[in-house]
Amino acid sequence: MWVSEAGVIGADVRGHGLACEGQPVTSRLAIICGTSSCHMGISKNPIFVPGVWGPYFSAMVPGFWLNEGGQSVTGKLIDHMVQGHAAFPELQAKATARCQSIYAYLNSHLDLIKKTQPVGFLTVDLHVWPDFHGNRSPLADLTLKGMVIGLKLSQDLDDLAILYLATVQAIAFGTRLIIEAMESAGHSISTLFLCGGLGKNPLFVQMHSDITGMPVVLSQEVESVLVGAAILGACASGDFASVQEAMARMSKVGKVVFPRREDKRYYDKKYQVFLKLVEHQKEYASIMKGD
């Protein structure tokens, strides 16, 4: 069983204004996001999704079929983009002076430079395709490479912050692509449940909500794997009759982040560009392979 997801996906969401409150647990998608990311959706009947692993019976929730999508590098990609930038030493020094992590500093710096516009709009002319280590889902193509479109000569802290933002957005667009593939095959998803290290980054969480158009639920216990292990132990000891009951009783909602609906048109346009990036990359590869 996937333990971390068991610690979040079955939480009792009553009173939080979520559509999934009146829907079956199959409307929930659990995402464990750290160095890489996994996207776990369940169904009552087996669903075969091209480029997404499974279906596996009773692998996460007993009696349900599991599909698992994934992104090969997420947290590792953010680190790579930030640490490889010319302004990284300056970022390190300023974050240390404030006793902040580099990502807390970047998030506050983005709030500073965005002025009156929504922070996500800072990337209007900077676009990233995030498959620096190939694509796991839903394209299942290990030959794909990363892309950054819209670079300038300047390499200051503002540029680093905006590149960081564009990278976070690209990861969220990758999640949107996985969700669309799952829904095209028969899944019906309305709510995201995030766990893992990247779930502690408010920018990462908000961008996933804004770009997918779905609310994001964060667990009260940030180390969801501990809750998942406790749930399994409680079932094994006979304290609960089923894993579903244990999840509902032991998993607690910590925070719910809703999408900014007023920004939907902007992200829809960014998503069109996102899809064009991989289309063009494949065209370039075809040209280079030709006679």
Side-chain angles (χ1 to χ4, degrees):
M1 173 177 279
W2 280 258
V3 178
S4 295
E5 289 81 353
V8 295
I9 198 169
D12 183 351
V13 298
R14 287 177 294 182
H16 293 278
L18 293 165
C20 68
E21 179 180 336
Q23 297 171 341
V25 70
T26 53
S27 67
R28 306 178 182 193
L29 183 72
I31 307 177
I32 179 168
C33 39
T35 303
S36 58
S37 293
C38 293
H39 303 68
M40 322 289 266
I42 57 176
S43 57
K44 284 299 292 182
N45 298 306
I47 298 175
F48 291 85
V49 186
V52 173
W53 295 356
Y56 309 119
F57 186 63
S58 291
M60 184 168 75
V61 180
F64 289 83
W65 294 85
L66 171 69
N67 285 110
E68 180 190 347
Q71 292 166 290
S72 298
V73 286
T74 48
K76 180 63 176 176
L77 176 61
I78 296 170
D79 289 344
H80 174 77
M81 299 293 265
V82 170
Q83 294 172 11
H85 196 278
F88 180 63
E90 179 187 356
L91 168 63
Q92 279 186 305
K94 290 186 173 180
T96 300
R98 285 195 189 176
C99 298
Q100 288 183 309
S101 73
I102 58 173
Y103 296 113
Y105 187 92
L106 283 171
N107 290 349
S108 63
H109 191 75
L110 286 168
D111 285 335
L112 182 69
I113 64 177
K114 73 180 179 67
K115 298 185 171 63
T116 59
Q117 65 181 332
V119 68
F121 287 31
L122 287 168
T123 59
V124 64
D125 54 5
L126 184 66
H127 310 281
V128 174
W129 179 263
D131 290 334
F132 284 57
H133 195 55
N135 182 281
R136 176 177 159 189
S137 300
L139 304 179
D141 187 345
L142 59 81
T143 69
L144 289 176
K145 308 293 190 294
M147 302 172 73
V148 182
I149 305 297
L151 294 173
K152 302 181 294 183
L153 281 175
S154 58
Q155 291 184 308
D156 60 18
L157 194 55
D158 288 1
D159 293 297
L160 170 52
I162 294 170
L163 179 62
Y164 156 70
L165 171 61
T167 303
V168 170
Q169 290 175 336
I171 293 167
F173 283 123
T175 289
R176 178 168 168 174
L177 186 61
I178 290 169
I179 291 170
E180 288 187 355
M182 294 178 72
E183 292 194 319
S184 293
H187 283 275
S188 180
I189 298 164
S190 67
T191 310
L192 308 182
F193 288 69
L194 259 62
C195 60
L198 289 175
K200 302 172 187 177
N201 184 332
L203 180 73
F204 185 90
V205 175
Q206 188 66 59
M207 287 299 104
H208 271 70
S209 182
D210 291 347
I211 285 168
T212 62
M214 297 180 185
V216 174
V217 177
L218 300 174
S219 175
Q220 188 179 81
E221 171 52 64
V222 294
E223 301 297 342
S224 298
V225 67
L226 302 180
V227 179
I231 286 169
L232 298 182
C235 289
S237 66
D239 287 274
F240 296 102
S242 68
V243 170
Q244 290 92 322
E245 181 189 355
M247 288 193 298
R249 294 280 297 279
M250 297 177 67
S251 302
K252 304 297 181 184
V253 174
K255 184 179 180 181
V256 178
V257 175
F258 290 94
R260 291 171 48 93
R261 299 294 182 188
E262 62 271 28
D263 298 345
K264 180 180 184 301
R265 186 166 179 268
Y266 172 78
Y267 289 115
D268 285 347
K269 290 192 289 186
K270 285 274 293 184
Y271 187 55
Q272 290 180 46
V273 175
F274 182 78
L275 297 177
K276 285 288 186 184
L277 291 177
V278 70
E279 179 184 327
H280 291 168
Q281 181 177 159
K282 291 179 177 180
E283 289 178 7
Y284 304 155
S286 179
I287 290 168
M288 296 307 295
K289 289 176 182 176
D291 294 332

